[in-house]
Amino acid sequence: MKTDTIAAIATAMSNSGIGIVRISGSDSLEIIDNIYRSRIAGKRLSEADSHTVHYGYICDGEDVIDEVIVLLMKGPNSFTREDVVEIDCHGGVLVTKKILETVIKYGARPAEPGEFTKRAFLNGRIDLSQAEAVIDVINAKNDFALKSSVSQLKGAVHDKITEMRSRIIYNIAFIESALDDPEHVSIEGYGEKLLVEVEKLLIELKNLLKSADNGRIIKEGIQTVIVGKPNAGKSSLLNLLVGEERAIVTDIAGTTRDVLEESIQLGGVSLTIMDTAGIRNTEDVVEKIGVERAREYSLKADLIIYVVDSSTDLDENDEEIIQMIKEKKAVVLLNKSDLTMVTTEEMLEKKTDHRIIQISAKENRGIEILEETLKDMFFSGEISFNDEVYITNIRQKNLIQEAYESLEMVKKSILEEMPEDFYSIDLMSAYESLGSIIGEKAEEDLVNEIFSKFCTGK
Amino acid sequence: MSAIVEEYDVVVIGAGHAGCEAALASARLGLETIIFTVSVDSIALMPCNPNIGGSSKGHIVKEIDALGGEMGKNIDKTFIQSKMLNLSKGPAVHSLRAQADKAEYSKSMRKILENTDNLTVRQAEVVEILAENNVIRGVRTFSGATYNCKSVVLCTGTYLKSRCIYGDVSSYTGPNGLQSADYLTESLKNLGIEIQRFKTGTPARIDKRSIDFSKMEEQFGDERVVPFSFSTDPETVQIKQASCWLTYTNEETHRIIRENLDRSPLYSGMIEGTGPRYCPSIEDKVVKFADKDRHQVFIEPEGLYTNEMYVGGMSSSLPEDVQHKMYRSVAGLENAKIVRNAYAIEYDCINPRQLNPTLEFKQIQGLFSGGQFNGSSGYEEAAGQGLVAGINAALKIQGREMLILDRSESYIGVLIDDLVTKENKEPYRMMTSRAEYRLLLRQDNADLRLMKKGYEVGLVSEQQYNSLINKENQIAAEIKRLENTNIGASKEVQSLLEIKESTPLKTGTTLAELIRRPELSYEILEPLDKERPQLAADVIEQININIKYDGYIRRQLKQVEHFKSLENKKIPAELDFLNIDGLRKEAKQKLDLYKPLSIGQASRISGVSPADISVLLVYLEQYRHNAKKQDMR
């Protein structure tokens, strides 16, 4: 553990209002001193009185991130009874996130789910009779974090991390089996070989970090699912949305393309769009799996885009979809408006309360209206998403960074010609950090790897 | 009919490596102790490999010594070859290993036992543990004699319902054909103790006169031998050493094994016990690592006054005729005469999660256990546990706080914590990779880590303790002096650096900074350091290590700080985990099964997540608060 000072975003993540980043722990004041600039030269917040408000800027070195108001609450007169600093910024997802990242860069760690409340409780700030309530908060937040850390992680990233971990553990196991049984296994000159591997891993991690900066590690936009019966034009809609200039879609270097998911910016709102198999009752096994997945995704989605083929009649499949999205946030797109309309807006209005927009994916008509609609829904707060997702991303980025630093230590040890046993200590840290991203503990992995890959023993 | 009834404080069952340490510790702490063995001639027997120590095991022996145990002293008196392994690696993995003269080792330990005050050696098979309301009352032997006592230490090793097997031949005996203990298991089960069955094996012993050593590589001991014990005078261990020999299996050996696999009791299902993966039989190695065209075979003497040679690397349970062919296919063993066959052995042991880290059973007051009975393997692992179990059996009777070693201070602590906290599906062997703070747990500083504890317990003398304190002070003072002694870029300095191929100084620095350079050391800098005090070699060793690896050591110390904070959050024994609402079901069940003593221990149980730990912390806080309120009423 690097530090016991924690930080998190305390406000809901939306593109309006203000954003608050909260820091708690013994290093809070030192951290704010390092990133806060006042107009008054040399002003240090650690020297300011408790419970005071300060105007200034948050900077990362020379870069000014935002104009802010900082609140100081020195322990024990704070929510957690530790030194607490709150940074109120202009809000907006990007700025708030950037400030949190800066706070972490300067020595805090992302708070565990429910950790502020837990600290407040353990430090006697919350009435001890409220233990159950505190436990509920921890559990609720943790459930979400668990769900998001696994489900939000892109499949390709998961695979990449798993693959890197297996390379790391193999190397640790080799070193350890040699240390354990030096007369059976020799590691003379191993440093050079390992250096090549470590340098490769460092490059790969660097790429992952870059992807994390661009929000491509996890699906952090609004989880959007396109549904509709087969041939309604779902895929053409997706292609249209993605294929335009406004779409930001890039692969993570070295990973396979995850065809189902695309991240796009539409009217300044970031969406993670999943194309799904058309929903219809089917006996075809493969397609059935696709349909099941579509249902599953729809349940978890923040927003559903339901594409209706206006050139055909509504059938039982449509009825099923309409039922499915009844309780969800959704937009109905009446596609193929370039053809003769069999199903009309009026007919749909009787069946659903959701907004209906006529489009033609083929002729690229109506997309602007969709864009405007989404913007409205987002800024009015009609669609939002849990800020834990952002925290998850920052937490994961932090873990990748930790793994990177551990491998840098390995590299340093090799270059300084330290003995081999020093390599495996930092390799293990890297292995554990990467494991936390995909929710896996190290436990007996190493011992298992040693015994399965290397022949040692008497 | 009248049977003998005698009174003791502590009864130790079994006189192997665990039992000997347990009995000596308890007797030396002033308690009337009796140790039972099925054969007095087999005290401290080494039924498998003829060596003590090795990677991480050597650390354990040093720790036993620092705590006031006997193993290190005994091997220093009876070794015939000694080697410091991993010398080219970092100091944390340097490991001492000595070849023992098995007969001498056993004889010498027997002499110690027989001449220790308060200790009675008794040959008899204990068949029943007597307990009332889950409190130990005594034991009963096969002949019906009763020995009343307050604590019992079970160190039955591989003797419980043991069965030796090779091919289709099997016999219900302990190792080396010794009598097994067939009744105790039932008594333990009646006390509610969960039993499991493990397996291990040993290679054949071959007559030295039938071996052609010219086809093998000779393996020598170190020129300068380092003793295991901190109290052994290094000059007394500079003896004439025996050699070991290295040879290899070959394609022919592997063919013989493969062709006869169907006759192996392991593959035919005749053996049910779970064997260790780290100590595979030669047939396992050939099957699992089919791509390897040869495996190493170490030929090691069993002692100076016997011709028996141990065939390290070729343990087996194949039939006798296959063994015969297999060994004879190895270079140098063409005419080998087998003295004792290789065999596998199955035995009853416990699932160690039934124990507290004190090695006392959670359910039965005064019942302790150590060694292979706890699901471990190896002489050293056994001795380490035996020592802790023996100490605690005594401390409990004396009403003193029992000894718990933690993961940040010793390998023994890692060993016990792993045994009582983790799922254990095979005999547990120590490895340096199991110790997360291994940079701190070195063999060279076992005294600095543990001798104070040994002194507080009462097994380390005042004199030893004083010299330890003196050593500590010398190390601290000298490191401080080196950190504060500036050194300029003078001609004398530059020329010494040049000779040692070290980059010349651009500006002044401290002596400590120079020692940090890999190519330099405390000793090398002597000509530049005029005010240096006279220091012993072991003090200088500590200075070098502490300065050179300062950065790494600091990082580990920081981790230890966090570890300790969780370890120090104790969980009350009466806490009912099943009643804590916010815990997930799996966590509740696991916590209830293992009944951890601290938050730290709880966090290491597989299936307990960080969120569960948070919930537990919150719950405990309220629990304490309520308990306090009740006290006040």
Side-chain angles (χ1 to χ4, degrees), chain B residues 556-574:
Chain B
Q556 290 235 307
L557 283 172
K558 204 161 177 199
Q559 292 167 353
V560 166
E561 211 176 290
H562 175 65
F563 162 83
K564 287 268 191 193
S565 76
L566 294 179
E567 243 22 50
N568 290 337
K569 292 202 170 79
K570 301 291 177 213
I571 300 175
E574 71 276 9

Side-chain angles (χ1 to χ4, degrees), chain B residues 96-145:
Chain B
L96 195 53
R97 188 196 59 201
Q99 300 299 131
D101 185 313
K102 284 185 170 185
E104 287 302 316
Y105 187 90
S106 172
K107 243 200 280 182
S108 164
M109 188 63 93
R110 176 174 168 181
K111 198 168 150 193
I112 297 283
L113 254 56
E114 288 175 347
N115 292 289
T116 296
D117 291 344
N118 310 322
L119 183 57
T120 304
V121 177
R122 188 74 167 89
Q123 178 166 307
E125 183 186 343
V126 173
V127 296
E128 197 182 350
I129 304 294
L130 307 172
E132 262 168 50
N133 302 324
N134 295 325
V135 178
I136 282 296
R137 287 282 167 261
V139 302
R140 187 170 291 132
T141 63
F142 185 71
S143 60

Side-chain angles (χ1 to χ4, degrees), chain A residues 118 121 128 131 139 142 176 179-180 183-184 409 413 418-422 424 426 441 443 448 451 457, chain B residues 55 83 86 89-90 97 277-278 280 288 296 429 433 438 549 552 555 582 606 608 611 614 618 622 625:
Chain A
K118 180 180 107 184
F121 179 84
L128 285 163
N139 278 337
N142 191 65
E176 291 302 323
L179 296 174
D180 196 58
E183 286 165 324
H184 277 88
M409 285 297 298
S413 302
M418 293 293 285
E420 290 86 346
D421 50 310
F422 285 83
S424 61
D426 291 310
K441 284 212 233 171
E443 308 230 316
N448 291 339
F451 295 145
Chain B
S55 186
K83 239 179 183 173
N86 281 331
K89 314 292 186 306
R97 188 196 59 201
R277 287 172 298 174
Y278 46 80
K288 240 176 100 185
Q296 285 170 318
R429 203 204 84 179
S433 57
R438 79 168 168 214
Y549 304 108
Y552 290 90
R555 272 166 62 205
S606 104
V608 176
S614 290
V618 169
Q622 192 193 31
H625 177 73

Side-chain angles (χ1 to χ4, degrees), chain A residues 229 306-319 322 332 334 342-344 347-349 351:
Chain A
K229 64 186 175 188
Y306 167 34
V307 183
V308 181
D309 181 355
S310 67
S311 67
T312 62
D313 283 316
L314 291 178
D315 59 15
E316 56 186 39
N317 293 312
D318 287 299
E319 296 291 343
I322 289 169
V332 182
L334 205 48
V342 179
T343 302
T344 62
M347 289 160 75
L348 269 168
E349 267 171 2
K351 295 184 181 286

Side-chain angles (χ1 to χ4, degrees), chain A residues 26-248:
Chain A
S26 52
D27 297 334
S28 301
L29 298 171
E30 193 190 319
I31 293 167
I32 195 69
D33 271 346
N34 280 325
I35 60 173
Y36 170 82
R37 298 275 176 284
S38 165
R39 285 205 180 137
I40 306 155
K43 178 173 169 185
R44 288 168 60 84
L45 292 185
S46 58
E47 287 156 10
D49 288 339
S50 185
H51 294 76
T52 50
V53 178
H54 305 268
Y55 167 79
Y57 299 90
I58 293 297
C59 309
D60 177 3
E62 296 300 307
D63 298 338
V64 177
I65 296 164
D66 197 16
E67 190 183 16
V68 297
I69 299 276
V70 177
L71 281 79
L72 293 182
M73 284 150 283
K74 296 187 181 175
N77 299 314
S78 71
F79 176 55
T80 57
R81 296 222 157 143
E82 301 169 335
D83 288 341
V84 170
V85 174
E86 273 186 14
I87 304 168
D88 293 16
C89 62
H90 279 113
V93 171
L94 286 176
V95 170
T96 317
K97 218 175 82 176
K98 184 82 192 155
I99 289 179
L100 177 59
E101 284 181 0
T102 309
V103 167
I104 287 164
K105 184 172 162 191
Y106 282 84
R109 67 170 168 81
E112 295 298 321
E115 196 170 4
F116 279 95
T117 317
K118 180 180 107 184
R119 287 188 176 203
F121 179 84
L122 292 180
N123 294 332
R125 183 69 172 69
I126 295 178
D127 182 356
L128 285 163
S129 65
Q130 312 221 326
E132 279 81 22
V134 176
I135 286 171
D136 286 347
V137 170
I138 292 171
N139 278 337
K141 292 217 172 186
N142 191 65
D143 279 353
F144 187 84
L146 275 185
K147 234 171 46 196
S148 57
S149 64
V150 179
S151 70
Q152 302 293 126
L153 198 66
K154 288 196 172 176
V157 177
H158 191 287
D159 292 349
K160 181 69 202 163
I161 287 175
T162 308
E163 186 261 340
M164 282 195 278
R165 283 184 96 222
S166 73
R167 280 153 62 197
I168 294 173
I169 196 88
Y170 180 85
N171 282 289
I172 308 171
F174 178 68
I175 295 171
E176 291 302 323
S177 60
L179 296 174
D180 196 58
D181 205 352
E183 286 165 324
H184 277 88
V185 189
S186 163
I187 44 172
E188 292 309 313
Y190 185 62
E192 284 167 39
K193 256 172 83 183
L194 182 64
L195 188 60
V196 176
E197 180 76 343
V198 166
E199 279 176 339
K200 264 196 243 162
L201 285 164
L202 281 170
I203 293 170
E204 291 165 36
L205 282 174
K206 189 118 234 175
N207 284 332
L208 264 184
L209 273 175
K210 271 189 220 150
S211 313
D213 279 336
N214 297 339
R216 271 178 256 126
I217 291 271
I218 66 164
K219 315 160 199 163
E220 70 174 20
I222 292 167
Q223 301 288 298
T224 310
V225 175
I226 305 180
V227 297
K229 64 186 175 188
N231 295 322
K234 298 184 301 298
S235 295
S236 8
L237 174 71
L238 182 71
N239 288 338
L240 185 68
L241 294 174
V242 169
E244 291 281 332
E245 279 174 351
R246 58 192 148 196
I248 309 167

